[in-house]
Amino acid sequence: MQEITFRKPSDLHVHFRDGPMLAAVVPYTARDFRHALVMPNLVPPVTTTAMAAAYRERIMAAVPEGLDFTPLMTCYLTDDTDAGDLVAGFRDGVTVGAKLYPAHATTNSQHGVTNIRNIRDVLVAMADAGMPLLTHGERVRPDIDVFDREKFFIDEILVPTLEEIPTLRVVMEHITTADGALAARSFGDRVAATITPQHLLFNRNALFEGGLRPHLYCLPVLKREEHRLALRQAATSGLPNYLLGTDTAPHLRRDKEADCGCAGVFSAPVALEAYLQVFEEENALDRFERFATLNGAAFYRLEVPQETVTYVRRERYVAEQIEVGDQSVIPLHAGKSVGWSKLGAGAEH
Ligand code: NCD
Ligand code: ZN
């Protein structure tokens, strides 16, 4: 296939940050996606409906003219979340979900939930309202190996919660293992999972290829080859439980190339093309629209976008770096090329 046309996709997991970084990165996502579901792990985190509404305005101010783009907002759950405010924000259409960051699991998660029992009433209120819970699915304990964190989360937190609150709807964010892929399809349409491009493209060897590769360091960390293959099978299966969510997570180059470097892959400038490469390699381009557009719209009960986009099989060079003030961020595939290019206006990144 030399060309593919599909309805404009939704990126159901992005980090836009704030200030100059927000201004630099929002245009990449807004050009390629109809919606983006925006993570709330700012400093300080977006913990209330009012904060989510204010953040939405700052994002809209960074969207280039003429693009039909909608940010979908989320709140960050803490031990002290006010269930009334949270659910009112969802019912009023300000937010589409709430994010569970286990404390200390990832970037800016220090205000996260210390014990799932502390938010039981909040989860029940969310279930009653039909408000999805979005999970950073890692169990963080000194005795749990970093590569096993996802499985421990599924067994010790996710499955017991789904069983205890049978109407709660959950998105397992950025699954990285075969266990994650299996769990996501084991609860009917109550549970879905986002899958990032880097977890489809790379196994953990890539972190050490020729030396330490900080720009491929993200959380959850890349896993073994068997897990990458299971994720590719899941994403291309056509099942409704798997959603496009890039987890594009920009950090300044100096913060990535540092001792105690930050976790996150900045994929927004090439994410769509990277997913297309995976679907092409798996002979599944005919299922791309389900993963990229339709499954997410169904789970989040969004209108299916009508605008279509066309990508052609043509190489496109990816910039070495992108400026943010007097600093820079390094995109996925920096200085290399991707095999697909968007046709028409706004195609140049
Ligand atoms: C994300 C970030 O930088 O905010 N980092 C990452 O490695 N994915 C946080 C997250 O999604 O875990
Ligand atoms: Zn993320």
Side-chain angles (χ1 to χ4, degrees), residues 72-335:
L72 306 172
M73 307 310 295
T74 59
C75 278
Y76 181 120
L77 295 173
T78 70
D79 287 344
D80 305 316
T81 294
D82 174 349
D85 172 69
L86 186 79
V87 167
F90 176 73
R91 290 196 203 274
D92 292 345
V94 179
T95 54
V96 299
K99 180 80 187 274
L100 169 66
Y101 288 103
H104 309 295
T106 189
T107 310
N108 301 333
S109 60
Q110 60 272 28
H111 305 286
V113 172
T114 57
N115 188 320
I116 188 91
R117 283 196 300 272
N118 296 343
I119 59 163
R120 190 178 184 284
D121 293 351
V122 174
L123 297 181
V124 169
M126 288 173 65
D128 289 346
M131 181 179 195
L133 172 72
L134 321 181
T135 59
H136 181 105
E138 292 196 283
R139 186 86 160 122
V140 182
R141 265 197 339 237
D143 61 307
I144 297 176
D145 191 276
V146 64
F147 294 99
D148 297 333
R149 284 176 176 178
E150 187 164 293
K151 181 153 176 42
F152 274 86
F153 181 85
I154 293 166
D155 294 346
E156 295 186 0
I157 309 285
L158 179 71
V159 171
T161 303
L162 287 166
E163 285 170 353
E164 196 186 323
I165 310 176
T167 52
L168 185 65
R169 307 174 71 232
V170 172
V171 181
M172 303 168 65
E173 298 295 341
H174 43 50
I175 55 168
T176 61
T177 61
D179 312 283
L182 178 62
R185 63 171 175 266
S186 301
F187 293 87
D189 62 5
R190 284 175 70 194
V191 176
T194 54
I195 308 181
T196 78
Q198 65 267 24
H199 292 100
L200 295 168
L201 290 172
F202 306 112
N203 63 36
R204 65 194 194 179
N205 290 343
L207 285 170
F208 308 105
E209 204 180 298
L212 195 56
R213 299 298 189 144
H215 298 290
L216 285 181
Y217 170 54
C218 65
L219 288 170
V221 73
L222 297 172
K223 300 296 190 307
R224 287 178 177 277
E225 178 66 357
E226 68 196 68
H227 295 300
R228 184 182 77 98
L229 296 178
L231 295 176
R232 286 170 80 101
Q233 210 248 326
T236 59
S237 65
L239 286 171
N241 309 90
Y242 303 110
L243 320 178
L244 187 159
T246 61
D247 194 18
T248 178
H251 292 278
L252 293 179
R253 177 181 190 166
R254 64 161 187 225
D255 296 333
K256 297 279 298 170
E257 299 176 6
D259 185 29
C260 210
C262 292
V265 172
F266 174 48
S267 60
V270 295
L272 217 286
E273 296 85 346
Y275 284 118
L276 282 172
Q277 178 194 328
V278 170
F279 276 71
E280 180 184 27
E281 287 167 0
E282 298 292 327
N283 283 318
L285 284 170
D286 57 325
R287 298 191 191 135
F288 186 71
E289 189 183 54
R290 285 190 229 175
F291 175 71
T293 313
L294 304 178
N295 292 351
F299 187 89
Y300 281 104
R301 300 167 179 161
L302 307 169
E303 227 173 89
V304 175
Q306 290 312 305
E307 186 188 345
T308 60
V309 284
T310 298
Y311 283 74
V312 292
R313 191 77 186 73
R314 187 178 65 215
E315 298 230 328
R316 176 169 73 77
Y317 176 74
V318 184
E320 299 263 1
Q321 56 178 30
I322 288 160
E323 284 173 22
V324 181
D326 61 356
Q327 297 292 317
S328 66
V329 282
I330 308 290
L332 177 65
H333 294 323

